[in-house]
């Protein structure tokens, strides 16, 4: 079969002819229908986000059709449409993302995560994928969904929703999404609207992407980041829930503006790629009864919730622009993904 492989740490992603994976214990063989190419895939391949378990077939998540299952797999069956969440969780801090960078817990890994990555390292940017059964969630009825490529956005919607749900119900509350101009942030805006937020304040730098988000409806407000913490806090809030989905930023100012914008009892949830320390005044957090949470990847229950929102039409994926690519030219696909932002993404349809 054809697959995108990375051979070594300083190598590019290449289109390769590799053997179709053979089924083994705990495994699910899927035909890959569509996979989201994250905007920062090129950075991942270049090693800027941690070490890939090379050599590997790249790719964290996809929507696929089950072809075959190992004898010890019972929750999905041939013919099912499934979401691959990429998250293989051995409990405690031992979690890996199959086919990608990123380890759970403090991020340093352990002997056990090394073993997990030895057994399960190949991802889904390929015609077929052998997936660990723990990463598979069934999408009942998805075989009738008219635009399968759109479903490649489900993983990002589920990651965003898992983050938002740490703050409880969103219905009737004021939600702010910092980095709404990115794909994870755009996904969060769609989820918050679908789950009944009173207002959703979309926050980012890119004016064009903010304007596009504003077109989603009258509950969307926008704030273009100024870089001045006090000005940004006033523009973002007051918020009951603030979700930070920013990429790597040189300072924590935008995140702290979101913290400042919270109402009493509010929650700031961090799901982005900011690699800065946050200076949070003890007394302020205490007196304002705030919560600061982290959230990583998604859980199966949230996948079911998000899929039901999409399936019922409450979350309308036609608002998202899908640019479809095939396997032929990985370098061009990664370039395109890097240029794609906000409510647009690149779907690999092998
Ligand atoms: N928690 C999890 O489970 C999880 C899962 C997947 C990804 N992530 C992380 O989430 C982050 C965002 O992912 P994504 O797919 O949304 O990426 P993306 O589409 O590239 O979006 C990046 C966002 O960060 C903003 N940004 C980047 N540099 C900035 C700067 N210097 N100042 C202010 N804003 C800046 C961008 O704003 P503009 O476009 O307006 O410039 C955009 O809103 C990634 O870094 C990734 O590591 C976390």
């Amino acid at each position: 079969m054809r697959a995108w492989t990375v051979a070594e740490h300083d190598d590019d992603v290449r289109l390769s002819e590799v053997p179709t994976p053979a089924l083994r214990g705990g495994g699910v063989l899927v035909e890959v229908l569509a996979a989201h190419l994250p905007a920062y895939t090129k950075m991942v391949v270049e090693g800027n986000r941690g070490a890939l378990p090379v050599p590997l077939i790249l790719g964290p998540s996809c929507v696929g059709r089950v072809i075959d299952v190992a004898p010890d797999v019972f929750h999905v069956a041939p013919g099912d449409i499934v979401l691959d969440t990429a998250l293989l969780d051995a409990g405690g801090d031992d979690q890996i993302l199959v086919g990608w960078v990123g380890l759970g817990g403090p991020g340093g890994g352990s002997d056990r995560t090394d073993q997990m990555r030895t057994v399960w390292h190949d991802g889904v940017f390929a015609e077929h994928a052998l997936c660990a059964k723990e990463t598979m969630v069934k999408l009942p009825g998805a075989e009738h969904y008219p635009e399968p490529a759109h479903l490649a956005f489900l993983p990002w919607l589920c990651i965003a929703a898992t983050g938002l749900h740490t703050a409880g119900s969103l219905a009737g509350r004021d939600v702010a999404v910092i980095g709404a101009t990115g794909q994870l942030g755009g996904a969060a805006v769609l989820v918050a609207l679908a789950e009944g937020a009173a207002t959703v304040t979309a926050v980012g730098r890119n004016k064009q992407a903010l304007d596009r988000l504003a077109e989603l409806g009258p509950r969307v407000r926008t704030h273009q980041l100024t870089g001045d913490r006090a000005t940004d806090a006033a523009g973002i809030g007051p918020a009951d829930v603030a979700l930070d989905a920013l990429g790597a930023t040189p300072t924590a100012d935008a995140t702290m503006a979101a913290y400042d914008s919270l109402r009493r009892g509010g929650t700031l949830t961090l799901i982005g790629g900011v690699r800065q320390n946050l200076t949070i005044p003890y007394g302020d957090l205490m007196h304002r009864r705030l919560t600061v949470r982290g959230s990583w990847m998604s859980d199966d229950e949230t996948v079911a919730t998000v899929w039901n929102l999409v399936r019922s039409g409450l979350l309308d994926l036609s608002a998202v622009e899908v640019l479809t690519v095939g396997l032929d030219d990985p370098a061009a696909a990664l370039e395109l993904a890097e240029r794609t932002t906000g409510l647009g993404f690149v779907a690999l349809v092998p």
Side-chain angles (χ1 to χ4, degrees):
M1 67 169 189
R2 300 192 317 153
W4 286 358
T5 57
V6 181
E8 296 176 82
H9 284 305
D10 53 359
D11 204 2
D12 292 333
V13 55
R14 294 176 195 283
L15 174 62
S16 307
E17 193 67 37
V18 300
T20 301
L23 197 61
R24 57 181 151 88
V28 176
L29 187 62
V30 302
E31 174 194 356
V32 178
L33 298 178
H36 172 213
L37 287 191
Y40 54 91
T41 303
K42 208 167 132 196
M43 280 190 253
V44 167
V45 174
E46 286 169 354
N48 295 337
R49 299 292 175 102
L52 283 167
V54 288
L56 87 167
I57 296 172
L58 192 67
S61 301
C62 73
V63 169
R65 181 183 289 107
V66 176
I67 297 172
D68 205 356
V69 300
D72 58 339
V73 175
F74 304 103
H75 70 303
V76 296
D80 287 347
I81 305 296
V82 288
L83 180 76
D84 174 3
T85 65
L87 181 64
L88 184 56
D89 186 351
D93 285 340
D94 292 331
Q95 300 175 319
I96 65 166
L97 299 183
V98 182
W100 205 242
V101 290
L103 298 164
S110 66
D111 289 346
R112 197 146 65 127
T113 54
D114 287 348
Q115 285 167 20
M116 291 159 74
R117 283 179 129 196
T118 303
V119 180
W120 296 106
H121 56 269
D122 281 336
V124 299
F125 295 162
E127 289 172 309
H128 295 95
L130 180 68
C131 305
K133 66 178 191 291
E134 294 87 349
T135 66
M136 301 273 90
V137 187
K138 188 172 163 175
L139 303 175
E143 58 278 14
H144 305 302
Y145 192 79
E147 307 274 2
H150 276 76
L151 296 183
F153 205 49
L154 279 175
W156 253 223
L157 290 165
C158 293
I159 292 164
T162 303
L164 286 166
H165 291 172
T166 61
S169 168
L170 304 177
R173 298 171 81 197
D174 294 316
V175 176
V177 179
I178 323 305
T181 46
Q183 289 169 351
L184 202 50
V189 171
L190 293 176
V191 170
L193 289 173
E195 296 196 347
T199 65
V200 182
T201 303
V203 181
R205 295 179 302 182
N206 180 334
K207 174 84 169 61
Q208 209 183 348
L210 289 175
D211 290 346
R212 187 129 178 258
L213 288 159
E215 287 167 13
L216 288 172
R219 284 183 290 146
V220 179
R221 302 169 62 229
T222 60
H223 172 71
Q224 188 172 20
L225 284 169
T226 64
D228 177 71
R229 178 169 159 179
T231 308
D232 287 332
I236 295 168
D240 301 303
V241 180
L243 185 82
D244 182 310
L246 289 164
T249 53
T251 73
D253 287 352
T255 306
M256 289 310 298
Y259 169 88
D260 295 342
S261 80
L262 291 172
R263 281 201 182 97
R264 175 175 149 173
T267 299
L268 168 66
T269 301
L270 311 176
I271 65 167
V274 174
R275 308 241 163 124
Q276 307 292 338
N277 293 330
L278 304 183
T279 303
I280 294 177
Y282 185 117
D284 181 69
L285 182 89
M286 177 178 73
H287 287 118
R288 295 205 287 140
R289 286 93 154 162
L290 303 180
T291 303
V292 178
R293 281 287 308 256
S295 178
W296 193 53
M297 300 309 287
S298 57
D299 53 68
D300 294 2
E301 195 186 332
T302 305
V303 173
T305 302
V306 170
W307 168 234
N308 284 329
L309 290 173
V310 171
R311 188 184 182 182
S312 65
L314 280 168
L315 198 162
D316 182 3
L317 285 181
S318 66
V320 182
E321 183 191 9
V322 184
L323 303 170
T324 303
V325 296
L327 282 166
D328 292 340
D329 191 345
L334 267 52
E335 294 280 349
L336 181 64
E338 199 173 33
R339 293 196 303 273
T340 313
T341 186
L343 290 175
F345 78 100
V346 175
L348 170 67
V349 178

